[in-house]
Amino acid sequence: MDAYEIRILRKKTQAPVIYACAQASDHAAVRRAQSLCREGDRVEVWRGLDCVYAAGMPQHGHPPA
């Protein structure tokens, strides 16, 4: 099992929430992150120094909604 860090930036409060957990795979860690976040939240999943998943982040060249 690998150690992961799930970083969630809540849409309403903009307060960061960080979870540390062990998961069997990147896919399992991403599924866990998706279960923890709410609509409109930004989320990242990190395995060590590697970001394996990011959602809700503004795309380069596109202003945030």
Side-chain angles (χ1 to χ4, degrees):
M1 295 194 73
D2 288 318
Y4 291 88
E5 186 175 278
I6 299 170
R7 302 175 187 178
I8 300 172
L9 185 62
R10 299 283 183 209
K11 179 181 179 180
K12 294 188 186 240
T13 64
Q14 295 295 306
V17 179
I18 300 174
Y19 296 92
C21 58
Q23 296 292 334
S25 66
D26 291 353
H27 180 75
V30 169
R31 295 289 302 207
R32 179 67 179 141
Q34 290 171 336
S35 74
L36 293 170
C37 65
R38 302 176 195 139
E39 186 176 336
D41 290 348
R42 295 180 182 185
V43 62
E44 294 178 343
V45 178
W46 292 79
R47 180 182 13 86
L49 297 176
D50 297 322
C51 180
V52 297
Y53 177 78
M57 304 299 175
Q59 296 296 317
H60 179 68
H62 299 280

